Amino acid sequence: MTKVFDVKNDRNLTMLTDFYELTMGNGYFSNDIYDKVAYFDMFFRRVPDGGGYCIMAGVEQLIEYLSNLRFNDDDIEYLKGKNIFSQDFLNYLRNFEFSCDVWAVPEGNPVFPNEPLVTVKGPIIQAQFIETMILLTINHQTLIATKANRICREANGRPVIELGSRRAQGYDGAIYGARAAMIGGCTSTACTIAEQMFDIPASGTMAHSWVQLFSTEYEAFAAWAKTYPDNCVFLVDTYNVIKSGIPNAIKVFDEILTPQGYRPRAIRIDSGDITYLSKKCRKMLDDAGYPDCKIIVSNSLDEYIISDVLKQGATIDIFGVGERLITAKSEPVFGGVYKLVAIEENGEIIPKIKISENEEKITNPGFKKLYRVFDKNSHMAIADLIALGNEELDENQPLELFNPIHTWKRKKATNYYLKDMRVQIFNKGKSCYSSPSVMDIRDLVISESNKLWPEVLRFENPHTYYVDLSEELWILKQGLLHKYSNMYK
């Protein structure tokens, strides 16, 4: 009989990895360098959809994965059957114990290109192996949280319900996409298991099939009102919104709900010209004495459509957004990467760099810290600063910020304070961080994004938020560029 898994707790995802992580691991082991200490950074290079910032998400699931790394007998037998792995390597995997240090930006914080969102320090064989799941976990949820945040900002304070489960790319796309959508700002999800797993609000009403099942639309609405009198929401576009749906809804409100002392919650429109229909529905509901009845609109919405219909004067109270949110349809790939930035030799950190003719693909070397620079008076973010891990920064001294590419672009901060943007989530392989609730993370998104200037938050053509390198890190990077350029002339 097929085993039924607890989606959150029972699955062993250790083998969800690119195969070359295993072949490299075997190579590290065969060359007796498997325990060499290495440092890796996970970062991204560009904000999707031309936006000004992204929303960090996925750390809780990363912690769950790293806390449960283990190779079972079936895994070992499978690898043995490939006939390319040494017995010593297989024995190492059989007795595997995670021992790395890991730092990450907490979920809900705005993040920007080229910042080390996650840093892993530990034996190369381990730090390399976990690349796939770090990227998979952070890339997916950060993408969806960022898309949700864009959509919710364009809704301009109106609630947004996540409705995308049936169009998500697989089970986990629906479940963790719902989680990320809530982090990004949605008020509820249609994904029931997401509420069960993450204690987030799930909501839903009826489908067109409910209306079609009854002989008349009126009978369908009447049956629903009798079943859910205190949470009555009608889907009014099964036949004709203006000529049938709204008149029948109002008739049920008058004949069934109001006499019992209840008020209707909302009507929902799922097709047609939503600007026109919402205006007509609003007037009909108001004229009938139901100005408190909300109008919910769905049907392939995204931030662009929401922006347009609101500019056109649509009278919409709540948006339901599905496929274009859960798949981030306009730009469905978050390009996070995972790169080696340093190794240790005799206890000394030796920085490493990846060079490319494509300037944006040149990495920032060394073990680093990430700071956000805030103005002391306004508490607004000025810039982010990436510094070497051993640098001592004195907030009482002026801080010169400069663009690491266009170095003549400089700004001196004098009345500022620094915030270390990362926390340690693993210490020698043991989890040392407790994740907040999803709803607390959602609140953090609101508070932290409010510390960004409106120009950065702007929907179209936002101002570029500066992510600068400390002078010591910039000098180190330039030195390595010159070293390798001269070496391979």
Side-chain angles (χ1 to χ4, degrees):
M1 187 175 79
T2 303
K3 179 180 179 182
V4 178
F5 286 102
D6 175 331
V7 174
K8 184 175 182 181
N9 298 315
D10 281 356
R11 293 186 303 173
N12 178 9
L13 297 177
T14 300
M15 292 288 280
L16 205 173
T17 189
D18 289 297
F19 193 70
Y20 78 172
E21 313 291 11
L22 289 158
T23 56
M24 282 190 290
N26 185 65
Y28 294 142
F29 204 90
S30 299
N31 288 278
D32 199 26
I33 55 173
Y34 68 94
D35 58 353
K36 181 183 288 291
V37 175
Y39 296 76
F40 284 85
D41 283 346
M42 184 263 166
F43 59 94
F44 67 99
R45 298 186 176 108
R46 190 176 61 83
V47 178
D49 292 310
Y53 65 95
C54 293
I55 299 296
M56 182 68 172
V59 173
E60 181 178 354
Q61 283 63 54
L62 179 59
I63 292 171
E64 290 172 358
Y65 165 73
L66 295 176
S67 297
N68 292 284
L69 278 174
R70 63 191 184 280
F71 294 85
N72 60 36
D73 291 341
D74 289 342
D75 299 334
I76 301 302
E77 285 304 307
Y78 159 74
L79 294 173
K80 184 177 180 180
K82 299 294 288 186
N83 295 319
I84 62 172
F85 299 112
S86 71
Q87 188 58 52
D88 286 343
F89 176 62
L90 296 176
N91 290 340
Y92 170 82
L93 296 184
R94 191 185 300 277
N95 299 302
F96 184 89
E97 290 188 14
F98 186 60
S99 61
C100 293
D101 295 334
V102 185
W103 295 263
V105 175
E107 294 183 90
N109 281 286
V111 290
F112 302 91
N114 301 311
E115 298 183 334
L117 306 185
V118 179
T119 293
V120 178
K121 170 195 173 184
I124 181 66
I125 197 170
Q126 297 189 17
Q128 181 77 68
F129 176 79
I130 61 179
E131 172 184 13
T132 305
M133 278 296 284
I134 288 177
L135 291 174
L136 167 62
T137 305
I138 302 300
N139 279 346
H140 173 244
Q141 289 201 49
T142 301
L143 174 71
I144 304 304
T146 301
K147 185 67 170 179
N149 190 255
R150 286 173 59 85
I151 290 169
C152 293
R153 284 193 289 121
E154 286 309 302
N156 198 23
R158 298 166 179 83
V160 175
I161 307 168
E162 184 278 308
L163 301 176
S165 295
R166 63 191 62 189
R167 303 284 170 76
Q169 279 102 343
Y171 313 131
D172 286 347
I175 294 168
Y176 295 108
R179 179 184 187 274
M182 292 297 299
I183 287 173
C186 290
T187 53
S188 64
T189 176
C191 185
T192 308
I193 195 174
E195 178 180 62
Q196 186 180 25
M197 290 171 62
F198 307 121
D199 195 24
I200 57 180
S203 60
T205 54
M206 64 172 66
H208 293 110
S209 55
W210 173 273
V211 179
Q212 292 171 289
L213 185 67
F214 291 82
S215 298
T216 67
E217 190 174 47
Y218 174 83
E219 290 178 41
F221 289 170
W224 192 267
K226 291 172 183 175
T227 306
Y228 302 107
D230 59 344
N231 188 26
C232 198
V233 181
F234 294 150
L235 182 61
V236 297
D237 71 327
T238 303
Y239 303 117
N240 187 296
V241 174
I242 304 302
K243 294 181 179 179
S244 173
I246 292 296
N248 279 318
I250 290 171
K251 189 175 181 182
V252 171
F253 296 162
D254 289 341
E255 296 178 357
I256 297 175
L257 281 186
T258 304
Q260 297 181 67
Y262 294 103
R263 299 292 292 177
R265 290 292 180 91
I267 58 96
R268 178 177 156 221
I269 307 168
D270 191 46
S271 60
D273 184 333
I274 58 178
T275 300
Y276 168 78
L277 291 174
S278 70
K279 291 178 181 179
K280 296 289 286 187
C281 290
R282 182 73 277 155
K283 185 175 189 312
M284 293 172 73
L285 291 167
D286 290 352
D287 290 347
Y290 299 105
D292 53 335
C293 181
K294 306 292 186 184
I295 297 177
I296 305 172
V297 167
S298 51
N299 186 32
S300 297
L301 301 178
D302 61 16
E303 67 268 43
Y304 303 101
I305 294 174
I306 289 172
S307 176
D308 285 345
V309 299
L310 291 179
K311 288 175 184 175
Q312 294 161 9
T315 55
I316 298 168
D317 300 294
I318 301 169
F319 292 97
V321 186
E323 62 188 55
R324 298 187 183 189
L325 165 54
I326 206 68
T327 65
K329 183 180 179 182
S330 56
E331 191 164 341
V333 176
F334 192 81
V337 295
Y338 187 76
K339 299 296 182 183
L340 179 74
V341 293
I343 61 172
E344 282 189 11
E345 297 280 4
N346 300 317
E348 179 185 356
I349 298 176
I350 309 298
K352 296 289 183 178
I353 192 169
K354 161 70 173 67
I355 299 177
S356 172
E357 292 186 7
N358 187 340
E359 191 174 81
E360 70 173 10
K361 291 193 173 185
I362 299 174
T363 59
N364 292 318
F367 176 55
K368 300 173 289 294
K369 288 186 176 180
L370 173 64
Y371 296 99
R372 187 148 294 161
V373 186
F374 289 96
D375 181 273
K376 274 188 178 179
N377 292 329
S378 67
H379 302 288
M380 299 293 281
I382 300 170
D384 283 7
L385 181 69
I386 307 174
L388 292 173
N390 60 359
E391 282 191 66
E392 296 292 335
L393 301 176
D394 186 352
E395 295 176 346
N396 296 313
Q397 297 298 317
L399 178 65
E400 186 165 31
L401 300 167
F402 63 94
N403 186 298
I405 305 299
H406 309 294
T407 55
W408 65 89
K409 294 183 178 181
R410 292 174 178 259
K411 178 177 182 177
K412 185 168 288 188
T414 55
N415 190 36
Y416 69 93
Y417 62 93
L418 299 172
K419 177 183 176 182
D420 189 341
M421 291 301 297
R422 303 195 304 178
V423 297
Q424 188 165 6
I425 61 174
F426 280 84
N427 182 15
K428 294 181 173 57
K430 305 299 181 186
S431 175
C432 56
Y433 175 78
S434 180
S435 293
S437 71
V438 172
M439 300 309 287
D440 285 344
I441 297 170
R442 182 180 178 275
D443 291 342
L444 181 70
V445 172
I446 296 170
S447 65
E448 292 305 307
S449 60
N450 283 339
K451 296 174 185 176
L452 301 176
W453 292 101
E455 293 83 355
V456 178
L457 300 174
R458 192 165 55 215
F459 185 59
E460 295 288 348
N461 194 27
H463 173 76
T464 299
Y465 182 87
Y466 289 110
V467 178
D468 297 327
L469 307 184
S470 70
E471 187 170 357
E472 286 189 33
L473 176 54
W474 187 85
I475 291 171
L476 170 65
K477 183 174 182 177
Q478 297 306 308
L480 289 174
L481 286 172
H482 287 300
K483 172 185 174 181
Y484 288 108
S485 296
N486 292 329
M487 185 181 298
Y488 297 111
K489 280 184 177 180

